[in-house]
Amino acid sequence: MILDDFVSFDEKGLYCKYGDFYIDPQLPVKTAVISHAHADHAISGNNNVYCTRATASIMQLRYDRTAAKVFNIAAFNQSFEVDRVTVTLIPAGHMLGSAQILMEYEGARYLYTGDYKLQPDATCEPIEWVTTDVLITESTFANPAVIHPDPVTEIRKINDIKSNILLGAYALGKSQRLINLITEHSPQKKILVHHKIMPINAIYEKMGFHPGKYQIYGRKLMKVQDEFVYIVPPFTFDSYIRATGVKRLFASGWKNLQVNNQDTLFISDHVDWNDILQTIANTKPKQVWTLHGKGEHLKAYFKDDIFVKILN
């Protein structure tokens, strides 16, 4: 039987009272199950954290001693108990170590997707499918008007740019994916990375996911026009607003970060409308609960066929 109150929001985040744990909490808690290492899902200061090894490694890099008091490392597809709930981490395809969280209690299955994507990505574990009674899906782009372009087509835009490129991107996940895409589809480009990205790349490589060919940025290198692509975090990109001798591009799937077609690589690490419909078809839920976005379009689309509940 599906329990309508299996998870609910309070001031600390999404709480499962039957297992007495939070999922990707927004404030420090006693017990947290964390889907992936992006800062809006993985905060510091929790006591007991359950997550993948890659997620723990990145949290420890970013937060050092405050990352968590105790990390409980869980392998993908190996179940463990948190109080009265059986939990299994399933690859989510969003970034290295990202996991969907399958929770089983009294015969019902609840699958929290976290952030996830269906597009191929050689820098992380590909998404895997399990069936569920309740799909708890992020709905960031759950709108029929949002269809993400092919990332290979987007990255190939830089082949027509002969000057050096200053490429803004999030340091964790996006930068590694861009290194791989450029290495594969724009091999004539020479990739430079900001020093803040290097330690993250090291974790990827330790986990067996080598992004591609790159070297750390050097000031002398960028003074030469040799089709360099310098990948930098957003704060550095913004500080180089008056940079000369480079084409400025920003890589993102977020509309509010899009400048225009000439200055943007539209590469998203989230599911679009068609991807969410495919996920529902593959996981076969009886109910869909939405969060991190708007669920109204899914509610209207499925009408009486599948019950859709908007969590927030």
Side-chain angles (χ1 to χ4, degrees), residues 79-198:
S79 299
F80 55 93
E81 304 296 321
V82 184
D83 203 335
R84 296 175 289 164
V85 175
T86 300
V87 178
T88 311
L89 302 184
I90 312 293
H94 176 62
M95 58 163 282
L96 180 66
S98 63
Q100 305 170 79
I101 300 168
L102 177 63
M103 297 163 283
E104 298 175 85
Y105 180 73
E106 293 189 346
R109 291 160 64 91
Y110 306 80
L111 181 65
Y112 169 88
T113 64
D115 291 346
Y116 65 115
K117 75 172 181 290
L118 276 57
Q119 291 179 345
D121 181 354
T123 64
C124 68
E125 306 87 354
I127 191 168
E128 294 182 13
W129 302 112
V130 295
T131 58
T132 188
D133 296 302
V134 177
L135 178 69
I136 307 169
T137 180
E138 65 123 320
S139 53
T140 307
F141 299 115
N143 186 327
V146 179
I147 305 298
H148 294 150
D150 174 35
V152 174
T153 301
E154 288 294 294
I155 208 69
R156 283 177 175 163
K157 289 178 181 178
I158 71 172
N159 289 332
D160 296 328
I161 302 171
K162 300 309 177 185
S163 67
N164 293 344
I165 296 170
L166 181 69
L167 180 54
Y170 290 120
L172 175 56
K174 185 77 75 182
S175 290
Q176 292 72 38
R177 189 181 183 196
L178 289 170
I179 291 168
N180 179 261
L181 287 168
I182 295 168
T183 299
E184 291 296 316
H185 303 288
S186 303
Q188 78 282 8
K189 300 295 184 182
K190 300 175 179 64
I191 303 170
L192 306 175
V193 300
H194 190 270
H195 68 92
K196 292 281 189 182
I197 298 171
M198 292 294 285

Side-chain angles (χ1 to χ4, degrees), residues 5 28 49 63 93 106 130 135 138 146 149 193 203 212 221 225 280 288 309 312:
D5 65 346
V49 168
Y63 301 133
E106 293 189 346
V130 295
L135 178 69
E138 65 123 320
V146 179
V193 300
I203 291 175
L221 292 172
Q225 288 293 338
I280 292 169
V288 175
K309 180 171 74 170
N312 74 335

Side-chain angles (χ1 to χ4, degrees), residues 242-283:
R242 293 192 176 91
T244 59
V246 296
K247 172 67 174 176
R248 286 166 50 86
L249 294 173
F250 198 86
S252 176
W254 295 88
K255 279 193 174 181
N256 65 323
L257 296 180
Q258 305 306 310
V259 182
N260 54 56
N261 289 336
Q262 289 73 44
D263 298 323
T264 297
L265 298 179
F266 198 115
I267 297 175
S268 177
D269 296 316
H270 293 257
V271 287
D272 64 11
W273 175 255
N274 287 339
D275 293 335
I276 294 176
L277 296 185
Q278 184 64 55
T279 298
I280 292 169
N282 288 358
T283 57

